[in-house]
Structures are given as C-alpha cells and as structure tokens.
Amino acid sequence: MEDLVQEKQIKDTLQSILQDSVDAGVPGIVAAISNSQGLVWSSSAGQASLEKSQPVDMTYLFGIGSITKVFVAVVIFQLIEEKRLTLSTKLGEILSPDVLDGIANASEATIDILLNHTSGVESWEDDPTWRVAGRGRDLEPTKIWGKTDPLKYIRRPNPSGPKPGDWDYSNSGYTLLGLAIEKLTGRTAESEIRRRILEPLGMRSTFLEGFEEPREGSIPNRYHWATETFIESAGICPAFTKPREDLINASTSNLSVEWTAGGIMSSASDLLKFITALRDGRLVSASSLDVMQTWRPAEETTEQGHGIFRWTSPKGYGTWIGHHGGVLGFTASLWWKEEGDVAVCILSNVGTMHCGDVPSSSGSVFARSHFLELAIELSVFR
C-alpha cells in the first residue's frame, strides 16, 4: 500500500511539472517514461489549439527536430555494417561534384566527422538569409522545399566559418548524409528510415513531413515564441497569426526544409520504442553502438557522439544519452539514462529556435525541473 501511495505522489508531481510548463506559457506538452518492461507513465497538459481550446493528448504528433538525426545515424551505421561504406569514406566518393559544388570542406568530409559535427561544413541554419527565408518574414508557408534547396545558402566562400576538426553543430552535415543514403541505396532516405526502423519497430505514427503522407494521429497547432530576439533575427511571416502577444501560430508551415536534419513528425510512444531499441542493440550492432557512444566535448555538460549526445545533469540526476530537437513550432527531448533502466520523451507544440531565453519548453522540463529525478524513481515501480 505504501508503494502505491508513493507511486501516485510521483505521478501527481510529474503532472504538476507539465502543468507548470503550461502555466509558464507553453501551449501544449506531452511526456512519457518507459523502462525495459514497457510504458511506465504518460500524460499531457495544455492545448493542441489555443484558438479552439482543444486539449492536447498522447495521440498527437509533434515535430521532433534534430532527433531526426539519430534515425539518420542508425541508417548510416546499418549501411556500414552492410559494407556499403566506412567511417573513413569521403563524401566526395559518394556524391557528385555538382551536389557539393561551392560548399566548403564538403567533398573531403568523412562519414565519421559528418556524424559528430566536426566536418567544418557550415550549417545552413546559421545563415542569416536562410533564417529569414526558412523560418521568418520571407517564409512561404506552403512551399515544399527540395532536398538540396537549403544547401544553396552555404554554396559560397566562408573563410571565417567552421574548421574541420572543430565541433560546430551542422544541419548541413545531416542533409548531406541523407543524400548519401539515397545515392548508396538507390532509394529515398525516408523510405530507408521506414524500411529499416519504423516498420520493424511498429512505429505507425512517424513520418518525414513533406515527403511522406501523415500517419496515425493528429497534428496540433504549431506555435513559436515571438521574442524580440526571434523578431530581430528572423522576423515574422506575414501569413502567421498571433494568438497571444508572446506567440505566433505557424500552423500553415511544414518541416520540409529540415528533411533528414530535422523533419520527422512522431508521437511520444513511437519515440520511446525507437530510443529503447537503439539502447538495447536491436537496431545496430554492439560495435556500432560503441562507436556512436565515442564521446568528445561539445557544450557545457554535453558530449558529442556519432548522432547522439551524452548529457550530465547539473542537478545530480546522472548521465543521459539521446538528443533534443527544435524546429519552427515544436521542441522535443528523447533520452535514456546511461546507468539504469529508464527512458524519457517530452514533446511540446512551441518552438524556441532563434528565440534566446524563453519561459519554458520540452527542453526546460527535461533539464531544469525535477522531471528526471521523478522518472528514475517511478521506473523502479514497474
């Protein structure tokens, strides 16, 4: 009986953490916790649509941003295991010169350094012109971007740009890895992700927006913090509305510009299937997983592997392996605890990219609240 009371208290506190995020201004948020036995807890708070007062729930799909890169990395390591390429294979050995034309450091970049963001290939996301065209005032919301379209923003000399060997997070690297997958397999990257990962794991809600049809589940309205920083760096698309002074509604847009750098839509339950399968060695070999977990310093409290990060909680909740994601209209967090048997997924329908400090997001719940401490405690009850 005492355990049941304690379990209920933990779940109530988890729910209050989600509600605190909504009270801080996040429109809607969902979260789920699992262990090797399956789903331990899931819940939601807030709205899928502020305009219609439509509550969000666990059936909704969210943009997962750069968590997409973990899927791409898995496919790349499967191709390495099939001897289609090696970590030392150079991009110029796979892709034609016209694809790489004008992109500094691209042709000599190896698969190894593309995966861990040390290739010296500039990220199209960092280009001020792209920022305005891809997420800001010049955005065409209904446009479906071509797979190589974002690369045009980095086809130029950039002597002050990133240097090979230095860690510099690059969306471009994963756009190029997506193109490499297509060249090596003769199939689209999205179909390879589906064939190799989504179908074997029964992930029926997951798809690459703009390149595949929507799957099971509804998509909530996508909002973005309208901070002064965002307005100054990107501007606001005239087609977007403002349900609140601090938010824009970007629901008429899509994630096609992100493609293999960040364009997947998914649900919390699907994502937990994926991350636990990766953790447990059901997607890549033990040796490949070891390479994925070869760490180097990245940012404070964070180390970079090949397609995944290792993060140490400053609150003392241990080390976690996984990835955050952020795109126009969404933020996402998907991690497993390095020591122990617990994985967490947190998704919200508000974006933080180019925004500076914001009141809350999925990443805030993950890193700044007591969510992880409670997830660890709850996982032992099941």
mmCIF file of all heavy atoms in Angstrom, residues 188-235:
data_model
loop_
_atom_site.group_PDB
_atom_site.id
_atom_site.type_symbol
_atom_site.label_atom_id
_atom_site.label_comp_id
_atom_site.label_asym_id
_atom_site.label_seq_id
_atom_site.Cartn_x
_atom_site.Cartn_y
_atom_site.Cartn_z
ATOM 1 N N THR A 188 14.841 6.563 -51.584
ATOM 2 C CA THR A 188 14.783 7.798 -50.813
ATOM 3 C C THR A 188 15.205 7.538 -49.370
ATOM 4 O O THR A 188 15.030 6.430 -48.836
ATOM 5 C CB THR A 188 13.374 8.404 -50.813
ATOM 6 O OG1 THR A 188 12.479 7.519 -50.118
ATOM 7 C CG2 THR A 188 12.875 8.644 -52.228
ATOM 8 N N ALA A 189 15.752 8.564 -48.740
ATOM 9 C CA ALA A 189 16.168 8.427 -47.343
ATOM 10 C C ALA A 189 14.973 8.109 -46.456
ATOM 11 O O ALA A 189 15.072 7.294 -45.532
ATOM 12 C CB ALA A 189 16.860 9.711 -46.883
ATOM 13 N N GLU A 190 13.833 8.748 -46.750
ATOM 14 C CA GLU A 190 12.655 8.499 -45.920
ATOM 15 C C GLU A 190 12.164 7.058 -46.054
ATOM 16 O O GLU A 190 11.713 6.451 -45.056
ATOM 17 C CB GLU A 190 11.536 9.493 -46.230
ATOM 18 C CG GLU A 190 11.123 9.589 -47.680
ATOM 19 C CD GLU A 190 11.911 10.611 -48.488
ATOM 20 O OE1 GLU A 190 13.035 10.988 -48.062
ATOM 21 O OE2 GLU A 190 11.416 11.024 -49.552
ATOM 22 N N SER A 191 12.268 6.473 -47.251
ATOM 23 C CA SER A 191 11.840 5.081 -47.405
ATOM 24 C C SER A 191 12.816 4.130 -46.709
ATOM 25 O O SER A 191 12.412 3.080 -46.197
ATOM 26 C CB SER A 191 11.700 4.713 -48.883
ATOM 27 O OG SER A 191 12.960 4.731 -49.544
ATOM 28 N N GLU A 192 14.095 4.496 -46.659
ATOM 29 C CA GLU A 192 15.069 3.673 -45.944
ATOM 30 C C GLU A 192 14.844 3.735 -44.436
ATOM 31 O O GLU A 192 14.951 2.719 -43.745
ATOM 32 C CB GLU A 192 16.495 4.116 -46.290
ATOM 33 C CG GLU A 192 16.945 3.687 -47.671
ATOM 34 C CD GLU A 192 16.993 2.176 -47.807
ATOM 35 O OE1 GLU A 192 17.931 1.547 -47.278
ATOM 36 O OE2 GLU A 192 16.079 1.602 -48.431
ATOM 37 N N ILE A 193 14.546 4.915 -43.920
ATOM 38 C CA ILE A 193 14.214 5.042 -42.498
ATOM 39 C C ILE A 193 12.982 4.193 -42.182
ATOM 40 O O ILE A 193 12.931 3.480 -41.177
ATOM 41 C CB ILE A 193 13.986 6.514 -42.116
ATOM 42 C CG1 ILE A 193 15.316 7.288 -42.158
ATOM 43 C CG2 ILE A 193 13.327 6.642 -40.741
ATOM 44 C CD1 ILE A 193 15.174 8.779 -42.013
ATOM 45 N N ARG A 194 11.995 4.250 -43.052
ATOM 46 C CA ARG A 194 10.768 3.482 -42.836
ATOM 47 C C ARG A 194 11.047 1.972 -42.900
ATOM 48 O O ARG A 194 10.605 1.213 -42.026
ATOM 49 C CB ARG A 194 9.713 3.876 -43.880
ATOM 50 C CG ARG A 194 8.388 3.143 -43.715
ATOM 51 C CD ARG A 194 7.268 3.893 -44.413
ATOM 52 N NE ARG A 194 7.139 5.228 -43.861
ATOM 53 C CZ ARG A 194 6.563 5.526 -42.699
ATOM 54 N NH1 ARG A 194 6.033 4.566 -41.969
ATOM 55 N NH2 ARG A 194 6.510 6.767 -42.272
ATOM 56 N N ARG A 195 11.785 1.547 -43.901
ATOM 57 C CA ARG A 195 12.040 0.118 -44.105
ATOM 58 C C ARG A 195 12.920 -0.475 -43.003
ATOM 59 O O ARG A 195 12.704 -1.606 -42.555
ATOM 60 C CB ARG A 195 12.710 -0.090 -45.471
ATOM 61 C CG ARG A 195 13.001 -1.528 -45.832
ATOM 62 C CD ARG A 195 13.536 -1.612 -47.249
ATOM 63 N NE ARG A 195 14.901 -1.126 -47.361
ATOM 64 C CZ ARG A 195 15.983 -1.872 -47.160
ATOM 65 N NH1 ARG A 195 15.841 -3.149 -46.802
ATOM 66 N NH2 ARG A 195 17.192 -1.375 -47.320
ATOM 67 N N ARG A 196 13.893 0.306 -42.558
ATOM 68 C CA ARG A 196 14.893 -0.210 -41.633
ATOM 69 C C ARG A 196 14.535 -0.007 -40.161
ATOM 70 O O ARG A 196 15.029 -0.742 -39.301
ATOM 71 C CB ARG A 196 16.243 0.460 -41.908
ATOM 72 C CG ARG A 196 16.849 0.109 -43.257
ATOM 73 C CD ARG A 196 18.054 0.996 -43.559
ATOM 74 N NE ARG A 196 18.695 0.626 -44.817
ATOM 75 C CZ ARG A 196 19.682 -0.253 -44.929
ATOM 76 N NH1 ARG A 196 20.135 -0.871 -43.840
ATOM 77 N NH2 ARG A 196 20.219 -0.527 -46.093
ATOM 78 N N ILE A 197 13.700 1.009 -39.862
ATOM 79 C CA ILE A 197 13.441 1.363 -38.468
ATOM 80 C C ILE A 197 11.954 1.363 -38.139
ATOM 81 O O ILE A 197 11.499 0.643 -37.240
ATOM 82 C CB ILE A 197 14.041 2.754 -38.132
ATOM 83 C CG1 ILE A 197 15.546 2.770 -38.405
ATOM 84 C CG2 ILE A 197 13.735 3.124 -36.681
ATOM 85 C CD1 ILE A 197 16.192 4.142 -38.282
ATOM 86 N N LEU A 198 11.178 2.158 -38.863
ATOM 87 C CA LEU A 198 9.780 2.378 -38.478
ATOM 88 C C LEU A 198 8.942 1.114 -38.594
ATOM 89 O O LEU A 198 8.185 0.766 -37.670
ATOM 90 C CB LEU A 198 9.163 3.494 -39.339
ATOM 91 C CG LEU A 198 9.919 4.830 -39.382
ATOM 92 C CD1 LEU A 198 9.111 5.859 -40.165
ATOM 93 C CD2 LEU A 198 10.223 5.334 -37.980
ATOM 94 N N GLU A 199 9.052 0.421 -39.718
ATOM 95 C CA GLU A 199 8.239 -0.788 -39.893
ATOM 96 C C GLU A 199 8.658 -1.919 -38.948
ATOM 97 O O GLU A 199 7.782 -2.534 -38.318
ATOM 98 C CB GLU A 199 8.280 -1.226 -41.360
ATOM 99 C CG GLU A 199 7.520 -0.265 -42.269
ATOM 100 C CD GLU A 199 7.604 -0.651 -43.734
ATOM 101 O OE1 GLU A 199 8.384 -1.577 -44.066
ATOM 102 O OE2 GLU A 199 6.902 -0.014 -44.544
ATOM 103 N N PRO A 200 9.947 -2.223 -38.801
ATOM 104 C CA PRO A 200 10.317 -3.293 -37.858
ATOM 105 C C PRO A 200 9.899 -3.018 -36.418
ATOM 106 O O PRO A 200 9.577 -3.954 -35.682
ATOM 107 C CB PRO A 200 11.849 -3.350 -37.982
ATOM 108 C CG PRO A 200 12.144 -2.821 -39.340
ATOM 109 C CD PRO A 200 11.110 -1.765 -39.585
ATOM 110 N N LEU A 201 9.866 -1.745 -36.020
ATOM 111 C CA LEU A 201 9.518 -1.405 -34.641
ATOM 112 C C LEU A 201 8.027 -1.102 -34.457
ATOM 113 O O LEU A 201 7.583 -0.834 -33.336
ATOM 114 C CB LEU A 201 10.337 -0.201 -34.165
ATOM 115 C CG LEU A 201 11.852 -0.406 -34.062
ATOM 116 C CD1 LEU A 201 12.523 0.863 -33.549
ATOM 117 C CD2 LEU A 201 12.196 -1.593 -33.167
ATOM 118 N N GLY A 202 7.262 -1.156 -35.534
ATOM 119 C CA GLY A 202 5.835 -0.862 -35.430
ATOM 120 C C GLY A 202 5.546 0.581 -35.084
ATOM 121 O O GLY A 202 4.581 0.876 -34.356
ATOM 122 N N MET A 203 6.343 1.496 -35.622
ATOM 123 C CA MET A 203 6.155 2.923 -35.354
ATOM 124 C C MET A 203 5.172 3.494 -36.375
ATOM 125 O O MET A 203 5.555 4.043 -37.400
ATOM 126 C CB MET A 203 7.499 3.645 -35.393
ATOM 127 C CG MET A 203 8.472 3.167 -34.320
ATOM 128 S SD MET A 203 10.134 3.883 -34.453
ATOM 129 C CE MET A 203 9.792 5.628 -34.182
ATOM 130 N N ARG A 204 3.891 3.385 -36.067
ATOM 131 C CA ARG A 204 2.856 3.699 -37.046
ATOM 132 C C ARG A 204 2.469 5.184 -37.105
ATOM 133 O O ARG A 204 1.667 5.566 -37.950
ATOM 134 C CB ARG A 204 1.611 2.854 -36.751
ATOM 135 C CG ARG A 204 1.823 1.357 -37.010
ATOM 136 C CD ARG A 204 0.534 0.578 -36.893
ATOM 137 N NE ARG A 204 0.055 0.543 -35.520
ATOM 138 C CZ ARG A 204 0.415 -0.377 -34.626
ATOM 139 N NH1 ARG A 204 1.268 -1.321 -34.971
ATOM 140 N NH2 ARG A 204 -0.076 -0.362 -33.404
ATOM 141 N N SER A 205 3.029 5.990 -36.210
ATOM 142 C CA SER A 205 2.669 7.410 -36.197
ATOM 143 C C SER A 205 3.756 8.311 -36.766
ATOM 144 O O SER A 205 3.580 9.529 -36.810
ATOM 145 C CB SER A 205 2.378 7.852 -34.746
ATOM 146 O OG SER A 205 1.285 7.160 -34.213
ATOM 147 N N THR A 206 4.853 7.742 -37.215
ATOM 148 C CA THR A 206 6.045 8.515 -37.550
ATOM 149 C C THR A 206 6.205 8.677 -39.060
ATOM 150 O O THR A 206 6.040 7.711 -39.807
ATOM 151 C CB THR A 206 7.289 7.825 -36.951
ATOM 152 O OG1 THR A 206 7.090 7.647 -35.540
ATOM 153 C CG2 THR A 206 8.538 8.632 -37.178
ATOM 154 N N PHE A 207 6.546 9.904 -39.491
ATOM 155 C CA PHE A 207 6.773 10.145 -40.922
ATOM 156 C C PHE A 207 7.615 11.405 -41.111
ATOM 157 O O PHE A 207 7.724 12.247 -40.211
ATOM 158 C CB PHE A 207 5.446 10.283 -41.680
ATOM 159 C CG PHE A 207 4.661 11.528 -41.342
ATOM 160 C CD1 PHE A 207 4.676 12.627 -42.201
ATOM 161 C CD2 PHE A 207 3.896 11.607 -40.188
ATOM 162 C CE1 PHE A 207 3.950 13.778 -41.894
ATOM 163 C CE2 PHE A 207 3.161 12.750 -39.874
ATOM 164 C CZ PHE A 207 3.182 13.840 -40.732
ATOM 165 N N LEU A 208 8.226 11.513 -42.292
ATOM 166 C CA LEU A 208 9.005 12.695 -42.645
ATOM 167 C C LEU A 208 8.087 13.676 -43.368
ATOM 168 O O LEU A 208 7.687 13.452 -44.514
ATOM 169 C CB LEU A 208 10.179 12.312 -43.543
ATOM 170 C CG LEU A 208 11.559 12.391 -42.882
ATOM 171 C CD1 LEU A 208 12.599 11.692 -43.719
ATOM 172 C CD2 LEU A 208 11.953 13.837 -42.666
ATOM 173 N N GLU A 209 7.772 14.781 -42.707
ATOM 174 C CA GLU A 209 6.776 15.718 -43.244
ATOM 175 C C GLU A 209 7.274 16.358 -44.543
ATOM 176 O O GLU A 209 8.430 16.757 -44.666
ATOM 177 C CB GLU A 209 6.469 16.811 -42.219
ATOM 178 C CG GLU A 209 5.300 17.676 -42.652
ATOM 179 C CD GLU A 209 4.848 18.658 -41.606
ATOM 180 O OE1 GLU A 209 5.705 19.408 -41.085
ATOM 181 O OE2 GLU A 209 3.644 18.685 -41.302
ATOM 182 N N GLY A 210 6.373 16.437 -45.504
ATOM 183 C CA GLY A 210 6.692 16.998 -46.809
ATOM 184 C C GLY A 210 7.116 15.961 -47.818
ATOM 185 O O GLY A 210 7.078 16.212 -49.029
ATOM 186 N N PHE A 211 7.506 14.771 -47.342
ATOM 187 C CA PHE A 211 8.000 13.721 -48.221
ATOM 188 C C PHE A 211 7.249 12.404 -48.052
ATOM 189 O O PHE A 211 7.457 11.475 -48.823
ATOM 190 C CB PHE A 211 9.502 13.515 -47.998
ATOM 191 C CG PHE A 211 10.301 14.768 -48.212
ATOM 192 C CD1 PHE A 211 10.631 15.596 -47.148
ATOM 193 C CD2 PHE A 211 10.654 15.160 -49.489
ATOM 194 C CE1 PHE A 211 11.337 16.773 -47.346
ATOM 195 C CE2 PHE A 211 11.362 16.337 -49.707
ATOM 196 C CZ PHE A 211 11.704 17.143 -48.630
ATOM 197 N N GLU A 212 6.403 12.327 -47.032
ATOM 198 C CA GLU A 212 5.549 11.167 -46.812
ATOM 199 C C GLU A 212 4.177 11.654 -46.365
ATOM 200 O O GLU A 212 4.040 12.762 -45.838
ATOM 201 C CB GLU A 212 6.128 10.248 -45.729
ATOM 202 C CG GLU A 212 7.438 9.586 -46.093
ATOM 203 C CD GLU A 212 7.910 8.638 -45.005
ATOM 204 O OE1 GLU A 212 8.161 9.116 -43.881
ATOM 205 O OE2 GLU A 212 8.014 7.432 -45.271
ATOM 206 N N GLU A 213 3.190 10.814 -46.552
ATOM 207 C CA GLU A 213 1.849 11.143 -46.092
ATOM 208 C C GLU A 213 1.769 11.041 -44.570
ATOM 209 O O GLU A 213 2.438 10.200 -43.970
ATOM 210 C CB GLU A 213 0.812 10.196 -46.724
ATOM 211 C CG GLU A 213 0.625 10.392 -48.216
ATOM 212 C CD GLU A 213 0.144 11.792 -48.558
ATOM 213 O OE1 GLU A 213 -0.803 12.267 -47.885
ATOM 214 O OE2 GLU A 213 0.723 12.408 -49.476
ATOM 215 N N PRO A 214 0.947 11.874 -43.931
ATOM 216 C CA PRO A 214 0.764 11.778 -42.476
ATOM 217 C C PRO A 214 0.294 10.394 -42.059
ATOM 218 O O PRO A 214 -0.411 9.709 -42.803
ATOM 219 C CB PRO A 214 -0.301 12.839 -42.190
ATOM 220 C CG PRO A 214 -0.170 13.817 -43.306
ATOM 221 C CD PRO A 214 0.208 13.007 -44.515
ATOM 222 N N ARG A 215 0.670 9.995 -40.859
ATOM 223 C CA ARG A 215 0.328 8.677 -40.337
ATOM 224 C C ARG A 215 -0.703 8.792 -39.226
ATOM 225 O O ARG A 215 -1.379 9.805 -39.081
ATOM 226 C CB ARG A 215 1.618 8.011 -39.835
ATOM 227 C CG ARG A 215 2.669 7.848 -40.936
ATOM 228 C CD ARG A 215 2.336 6.740 -41.921
ATOM 229 N NE ARG A 215 3.082 6.850 -43.168
ATOM 230 C CZ ARG A 215 3.244 5.855 -44.015
ATOM 231 N NH1 ARG A 215 2.725 4.657 -43.760
ATOM 232 N NH2 ARG A 215 3.906 6.038 -45.147
ATOM 233 N N GLU A 216 -0.826 7.748 -38.422
ATOM 234 C CA GLU A 216 -1.829 7.722 -37.363
ATOM 235 C C GLU A 216 -1.584 8.838 -36.355
ATOM 236 O O GLU A 216 -0.471 9.035 -35.888
ATOM 237 C CB GLU A 216 -1.780 6.367 -36.642
ATOM 238 C CG GLU A 216 -2.195 5.181 -37.506
ATOM 239 C CD GLU A 216 -2.120 3.874 -36.740
ATOM 240 O OE1 GLU A 216 -1.950 3.914 -35.504
ATOM 241 O OE2 GLU A 216 -2.236 2.817 -37.386
ATOM 242 N N GLY A 217 -2.658 9.551 -36.015
ATOM 243 C CA GLY A 217 -2.556 10.623 -35.042
ATOM 244 C C GLY A 217 -2.806 11.982 -35.661
ATOM 245 O O GLY A 217 -2.702 12.165 -36.882
ATOM 246 N N SER A 218 -3.144 12.944 -34.837
ATOM 247 C CA SER A 218 -3.407 14.311 -35.286
ATOM 248 C C SER A 218 -2.201 15.194 -35.000
ATOM 249 O O SER A 218 -1.391 14.905 -34.114
ATOM 250 C CB SER A 218 -4.634 14.874 -34.563
ATOM 251 O OG SER A 218 -5.769 14.060 -34.781
ATOM 252 N N ILE A 219 -2.106 16.278 -35.736
ATOM 253 C CA ILE A 219 -1.022 17.241 -35.535
ATOM 254 C C ILE A 219 -1.602 18.477 -34.856
ATOM 255 O O ILE A 219 -2.579 19.059 -35.346
ATOM 256 C CB ILE A 219 -0.364 17.620 -36.875
ATOM 257 C CG1 ILE A 219 0.261 16.378 -37.522
ATOM 258 C CG2 ILE A 219 0.697 18.702 -36.661
ATOM 259 C CD1 ILE A 219 0.768 16.603 -38.932
ATOM 260 N N PRO A 220 -1.048 18.900 -33.734
ATOM 261 C CA PRO A 220 -1.563 20.089 -33.059
ATOM 262 C C PRO A 220 -1.160 21.357 -33.809
ATOM 263 O O PRO A 220 -0.314 21.318 -34.704
ATOM 264 C CB PRO A 220 -0.875 20.030 -31.692
ATOM 265 C CG PRO A 220 0.441 19.381 -31.992
ATOM 266 C CD PRO A 220 0.150 18.355 -33.070
ATOM 267 N N ASN A 221 -1.750 22.467 -33.436
ATOM 268 C CA ASN A 221 -1.240 23.739 -33.926
ATOM 269 C C ASN A 221 0.213 23.877 -33.497
ATOM 270 O O ASN A 221 0.607 23.415 -32.429
ATOM 271 C CB ASN A 221 -2.050 24.897 -33.354
ATOM 272 C CG ASN A 221 -3.374 25.079 -34.085
ATOM 273 O OD1 ASN A 221 -3.671 24.378 -35.052
ATOM 274 N ND2 ASN A 221 -4.174 26.015 -33.612
ATOM 275 N N ARG A 222 0.992 24.493 -34.360
ATOM 276 C CA ARG A 222 2.408 24.702 -34.048
ATOM 277 C C ARG A 222 2.631 26.183 -33.761
ATOM 278 O O ARG A 222 2.308 27.039 -34.580
ATOM 279 C CB ARG A 222 3.309 24.167 -35.164
ATOM 280 C CG ARG A 222 2.863 24.454 -36.568
ATOM 281 C CD ARG A 222 3.666 23.655 -37.602
ATOM 282 N NE ARG A 222 2.955 22.457 -38.031
ATOM 283 C CZ ARG A 222 3.469 21.507 -38.805
ATOM 284 N NH1 ARG A 222 4.692 21.609 -39.258
ATOM 285 N NH2 ARG A 222 2.758 20.443 -39.142
ATOM 286 N N TYR A 223 3.148 26.450 -32.582
ATOM 287 C CA TYR A 223 3.378 27.821 -32.134
ATOM 288 C C TYR A 223 4.876 28.069 -31.981
ATOM 289 O O TYR A 223 5.673 27.139 -31.914
ATOM 290 C CB TYR A 223 2.660 28.069 -30.801
ATOM 291 C CG TYR A 223 1.159 27.858 -30.868
ATOM 292 C CD1 TYR A 223 0.601 26.644 -30.468
ATOM 293 C CD2 TYR A 223 0.309 28.852 -31.335
ATOM 294 C CE1 TYR A 223 -0.770 26.433 -30.523
ATOM 295 C CE2 TYR A 223 -1.069 28.652 -31.398
ATOM 296 C CZ TYR A 223 -1.602 27.441 -30.994
ATOM 297 O OH TYR A 223 -2.965 27.237 -31.062
ATOM 298 N N HIS A 224 5.252 29.344 -31.913
ATOM 299 C CA HIS A 224 6.660 29.703 -31.742
ATOM 300 C C HIS A 224 6.728 30.943 -30.864
ATOM 301 O O HIS A 224 5.890 31.853 -31.003
ATOM 302 C CB HIS A 224 7.315 29.985 -33.099
ATOM 303 C CG HIS A 224 8.781 29.702 -33.135
ATOM 304 N ND1 HIS A 224 9.302 28.460 -33.399
ATOM 305 C CD2 HIS A 224 9.853 30.515 -32.924
ATOM 306 C CE1 HIS A 224 10.630 28.502 -33.373
ATOM 307 N NE2 HIS A 224 10.993 29.749 -33.066
ATOM 308 N N TRP A 225 7.708 30.946 -29.965
ATOM 309 C CA TRP A 225 7.862 32.115 -29.101
ATOM 310 C C TRP A 225 8.214 33.343 -29.941
ATOM 311 O O TRP A 225 9.173 33.322 -30.711
ATOM 312 C CB TRP A 225 8.951 31.887 -28.060
ATOM 313 C CG TRP A 225 8.609 30.891 -26.992
ATOM 314 C CD1 TRP A 225 9.146 29.652 -26.799
ATOM 315 C CD2 TRP A 225 7.640 31.059 -25.948
ATOM 316 N NE1 TRP A 225 8.578 29.035 -25.715
ATOM 317 C CE2 TRP A 225 7.647 29.877 -25.169
ATOM 318 C CE3 TRP A 225 6.770 32.095 -25.589
ATOM 319 C CZ2 TRP A 225 6.837 29.689 -24.057
ATOM 320 C CZ3 TRP A 225 5.948 31.918 -24.480
ATOM 321 C CH2 TRP A 225 5.982 30.732 -23.731
ATOM 322 N N ALA A 226 7.451 34.413 -29.782
ATOM 323 C CA ALA A 226 7.673 35.654 -30.530
ATOM 324 C C ALA A 226 8.509 36.615 -29.691
ATOM 325 O O ALA A 226 8.070 37.722 -29.350
ATOM 326 C CB ALA A 226 6.336 36.286 -30.914
ATOM 327 N N THR A 227 9.724 36.185 -29.356
ATOM 328 C CA THR A 227 10.599 37.024 -28.556
ATOM 329 C C THR A 227 11.218 38.123 -29.426
ATOM 330 O O THR A 227 11.225 38.038 -30.664
ATOM 331 C CB THR A 227 11.731 36.194 -27.941
ATOM 332 O OG1 THR A 227 12.532 35.645 -28.998
ATOM 333 C CG2 THR A 227 11.182 35.061 -27.083
ATOM 334 N N GLU A 228 11.767 39.138 -28.780
ATOM 335 C CA GLU A 228 12.450 40.194 -29.525
ATOM 336 C C GLU A 228 13.617 39.623 -30.314
ATOM 337 O O GLU A 228 13.889 40.049 -31.439
ATOM 338 C CB GLU A 228 12.938 41.276 -28.564
ATOM 339 C CG GLU A 228 11.829 42.126 -27.960
ATOM 340 C CD GLU A 228 12.381 43.263 -27.120
ATOM 341 O OE1 GLU A 228 13.610 43.516 -27.185
ATOM 342 O OE2 GLU A 228 11.591 43.892 -26.400
ATOM 343 N N THR A 229 14.300 38.633 -29.730
ATOM 344 C CA THR A 229 15.429 38.003 -30.417
ATOM 345 C C THR A 229 14.981 37.331 -31.706
ATOM 346 O O THR A 229 15.637 37.459 -32.755
ATOM 347 C CB THR A 229 16.103 36.972 -29.490
ATOM 348 O OG1 THR A 229 16.521 37.627 -28.291
ATOM 349 C CG2 THR A 229 17.306 36.340 -30.160
ATOM 350 N N PHE A 230 13.860 36.616 -31.654
ATOM 351 C CA PHE A 230 13.357 35.960 -32.862
ATOM 352 C C PHE A 230 12.942 36.992 -33.906
ATOM 353 O O PHE A 230 13.250 36.844 -35.102
ATOM 354 C CB PHE A 230 12.166 35.055 -32.527
ATOM 355 C CG PHE A 230 11.587 34.349 -33.722
ATOM 356 C CD1 PHE A 230 12.182 33.201 -34.215
ATOM 357 C CD2 PHE A 230 10.465 34.851 -34.377
ATOM 358 C CE1 PHE A 230 11.678 32.560 -35.340
ATOM 359 C CE2 PHE A 230 9.945 34.216 -35.492
ATOM 360 C CZ PHE A 230 10.563 33.058 -35.973
ATOM 361 N N ILE A 231 12.252 38.018 -33.479
ATOM 362 C CA ILE A 231 11.777 39.037 -34.419
ATOM 363 C C ILE A 231 12.952 39.742 -35.087
ATOM 364 O O ILE A 231 12.938 40.009 -36.290
ATOM 365 C CB ILE A 231 10.864 40.041 -33.689
ATOM 366 C CG1 ILE A 231 9.571 39.338 -33.240
ATOM 367 C CG2 ILE A 231 10.525 41.232 -34.589
ATOM 368 C CD1 ILE A 231 8.721 40.141 -32.291
ATOM 369 N N GLU A 232 14.015 40.003 -34.323
ATOM 370 C CA GLU A 232 15.189 40.678 -34.883
ATOM 371 C C GLU A 232 15.977 39.782 -35.821
ATOM 372 O O GLU A 232 16.480 40.230 -36.853
ATOM 373 C CB GLU A 232 16.091 41.163 -33.747
ATOM 374 C CG GLU A 232 15.506 42.320 -32.952
ATOM 375 C CD GLU A 232 16.347 42.654 -31.727
ATOM 376 O OE1 GLU A 232 17.424 42.025 -31.562
ATOM 377 O OE2 GLU A 232 15.917 43.521 -30.944
ATOM 378 N N SER A 233 16.097 38.484 -35.496
ATOM 379 C CA SER A 233 16.956 37.602 -36.288
ATOM 380 C C SER A 233 16.246 36.953 -37.463
ATOM 381 O O SER A 233 16.865 36.691 -38.495
ATOM 382 C CB SER A 233 17.553 36.505 -35.401
ATOM 383 O OG SER A 233 16.533 35.668 -34.884
ATOM 384 N N ALA A 234 14.945 36.691 -37.335
ATOM 385 C CA ALA A 234 14.202 36.002 -38.396
ATOM 386 C C ALA A 234 13.036 36.823 -38.926
ATOM 387 O O ALA A 234 12.723 36.797 -40.120
ATOM 388 C CB ALA A 234 13.685 34.656 -37.881
ATOM 389 N N GLY A 235 12.358 37.542 -38.050
ATOM 390 C CA GLY A 235 11.141 38.235 -38.455
ATOM 391 C C GLY A 235 9.959 37.275 -38.445
ATOM 392 O O GLY A 235 10.128 36.058 -38.335
#
